[in-house]
Amino acid sequence: MGVMQDLGLNAAMLAEKLAAARVLVVGDVMLDRYWFGDVSRISPEAPVPVAKIARSEERAGGAANVARNIAGLGGKASILSVVGDDEAANALEALLVRDGIATSLKRDANISTTVKLRVVARQQQLIRLDFEDAPSHEILADKLQEFADIVGEHDVVILSDYGKGGLTHVEEMIRLARAAGKPVLIDPKGDDYSKYAGATLLTPNRSEFRQVAGSWRDEDTLTRKAQDLREELNLDALLVTRSEEGMTLFRAEGALHQPTLAREVYDVSGAGDTVIGTLGLALAAGLTLPVAMSLANAAAGVVVGKLGTAVCTQQELLAL
């Protein structure tokens, strides 16, 4: 049996529910640039490979990739973020608009839009070059005001923290969203999770959770650490994505584990965006958290089989 059958979901009805669901994504957006080429020699100037670039690609990354995943699954995605007033911002906005995402990108002329440039040869990443600046206080205050104005128009809020400064007011955003009765899902960053207190759900990966809670020797220790953190932060749930080990959802009712559904792992970059995007959209569509987790796990299994910041389409999900 497939995932859809196991969950007792009708594909047509699910597609209809997803199409009506509205998700607001806020956080650090970036432009992912890929330069693809071939390497056949070592530079005479230094012991480094020479990549002869044949083609390039641009993709929306970070929080923008979360929105892409929601749109790819047939949902209504809105993105609120800060960018520079530059060519990269224009390219990023064009990509989002092309995917049918409602965009509100606050332009800050004093910063550069975050760009991650990857040079890839023979399906191997040779180097990644990052360009980034922290946004100004004034532009962040402007973004917070717009968040307060539009949060009530959405079913679920996703805060995607990549540590670039776009979620400086995360505590206030959580408060505003919860006051409006909206679930708040957060992809966290760093080793201080106290700022995320009161959120509905956090989705750290295995290494991120270890950074906050410390290491564990067995499942019982992991469960204790996860439940302690969940209670300390007053969260409804905590979802730890565990790479090849699958993912585990911790709630007051206990722990629920699902093994990975990936058939072939090609590239795990962006898989966390797919997980939280699918989770948020499924909850916005009225599905339960365990069912939303199953769909997120299935979507992540599709995405890790693709190169770079990719998405799982609705057709791919419904076919599972």
Side-chain angles (χ1 to χ4, degrees), residues 110-312:
N110 296 313
I111 69 169
S112 297
T113 301
T114 299
V115 174
K116 293 183 179 180
L117 171 59
R118 299 168 176 87
V119 180
V120 181
R122 298 181 183 179
Q123 300 178 351
Q124 293 285 325
Q125 189 177 141
L126 298 182
I127 191 171
R128 193 183 89 183
L129 307 174
D130 288 8
F131 307 84
E132 62 186 59
D133 295 300
S136 67
H137 174 75
E138 292 77 16
I139 206 84
L140 288 172
D142 184 35
K143 189 183 81 166
L144 181 62
Q145 182 57 55
E146 181 166 347
F147 178 86
D149 293 340
I150 67 175
V151 64
E153 302 167 8
H154 297 81
D155 301 307
V156 166
V157 174
I158 294 177
L159 304 180
S160 180
D161 195 347
Y162 273 79
K164 310 300 183 187
L167 286 177
T168 299
H169 298 118
V170 64
E171 294 102 329
E172 182 66 5
M173 289 181 178
I174 294 170
R175 188 192 68 78
L176 288 167
R178 296 311 296 264
K182 309 301 178 182
V184 182
L185 281 58
I186 304 180
D187 192 354
K189 201 73 172 180
D191 56 7
D192 178 17
Y193 282 11
S194 62
K195 59 190 173 185
Y196 305 128
T200 306
L201 170 73
L202 296 190
T203 62
N205 62 33
R206 183 171 53 189
S207 61
E208 289 168 341
F209 181 71
R210 186 180 291 116
Q211 186 180 359
V212 171
S215 59
W216 57 88
R217 295 183 305 277
D218 51 38
E219 289 295 314
D220 289 342
T221 308
L222 168 62
T223 298
R224 178 177 54 79
K225 287 177 176 288
Q227 295 288 28
D228 286 349
L229 181 64
R230 185 186 62 77
E231 292 175 10
E232 176 189 340
L233 298 179
N234 192 27
L235 307 172
D236 291 4
L238 179 72
L239 178 70
V240 181
T241 57
R242 304 169 61 182
S243 194
E244 74 281 354
E245 296 175 353
M247 56 181 66
T248 309
L249 179 68
F250 299 96
R251 298 182 295 166
E253 301 93 314
L256 177 64
H257 181 75
Q258 290 192 354
T260 180
L261 295 179
R263 298 184 185 90
E264 179 182 24
V265 178
Y266 192 57
D267 189 347
V268 298
S269 63
D273 299 334
T274 300
V275 168
I276 197 167
T278 308
L279 268 176
L281 180 60
L283 292 177
L287 301 178
T288 66
L289 190 49
V291 171
M293 172 191 176
S294 295
L295 292 177
N297 192 33
V302 171
V303 163
V304 296
K306 302 179 180 182
L307 177 64
T309 45
V311 303
C312 174

